[in-house]
Amino acid sequence: MGRRSPPPASLFEKLPKSRRPRSSSTSLRVPAPVTEQPDLLDWSPPLTHLAAADVEASFLDPAGFRPPAGEAFVYHLTDAGTARSFVRDGLPLTDGLMFRTAVNLAEDLADVSAAGEMGVVRVRRRLIQPWLTEDRQDGRPCYVLGPQASSQTP
């Protein structure tokens, strides 16, 4: 018969037969602090526009505009096509739309030569107040519509 080779040596021959005892300080582990993970299913995307129905948006022809008494509404002057799309689709919060009071809009309209090509979007002020920031343009007060709700009170 042929010669057989010896069985292969065990890889673990030199390991200790028993473990050394642990110190008492290492056996007490402090649990890691529990961090609360946000509920991803409860997340809602940031607001990017205000629905036209929610702000009572309506289209006005600038040619017949007369400032009403009071300041219940604010007005945005733009071209007629854009004004109609705002009334249909809502107000984008990312475009920095400028709104004026009725008195200031009447002054703006007096300076516009092509009022027939323009349109006015009228919205109820109290419904967009949280997103309005006071500003000035051409020396007159105005309001800018933005994505962050402001901390102003009406």
Side-chain angles (χ1 to χ4, degrees):
M1 279 186 83
R3 251 177 64 170
R4 286 192 164 180
S5 59
S10 172
L11 295 174
F12 303 108
E13 284 181 9
K14 298 188 179 190
L15 290 176
K17 300 292 182 206
S18 66
R19 299 179 135 190
R20 65 181 174 170
R22 291 184 178 183
S23 67
S24 62
S25 63
T26 59
S27 64
L28 298 176
R29 292 189 176 210
V30 177
V34 177
T35 57
E36 179 118 2
Q37 183 173 357
D39 183 4
L40 299 178
L41 298 176
D42 192 30
W43 179 82
S44 59
L47 192 61
T48 58
H49 79 284
L50 300 174
D54 293 346
V55 297
E56 299 179 16
S58 59
F59 178 85
L60 301 177
D61 183 3
F65 182 77
R66 301 286 177 264
E71 293 189 6
F73 295 95
V74 289
Y75 305 86
H76 176 70
L77 178 64
T78 186
D79 65 273
T82 303
R84 282 183 179 24
S85 72
F86 288 157
V87 170
R88 182 185 63 242
D89 303 328
L91 305 175
L93 290 172
T94 56
D95 292 355
L97 299 179
M98 182 186 66
F99 287 85
R100 297 229 195 242
T101 61
V103 172
N104 294 126
L105 177 67
E107 293 172 4
D108 287 346
L109 289 172
D111 297 338
V112 174
S113 60
E117 300 168 8
M118 304 299 285
V120 175
V121 179
R122 180 183 77 172
V123 296
R124 191 164 295 276
R125 176 188 222 141
R126 70 177 168 79
L127 298 177
I128 65 169
Q129 186 69 43
W131 294 275
L132 290 178
T133 303
E134 290 186 34
D135 203 350
R136 291 188 82 71
Q137 184 174 9
D138 303 326
R140 292 187 286 229
C142 65
Y143 302 93
V144 178
L145 188 66
Q148 294 296 324
S150 67
S151 59
Q152 296 177 355
T153 54

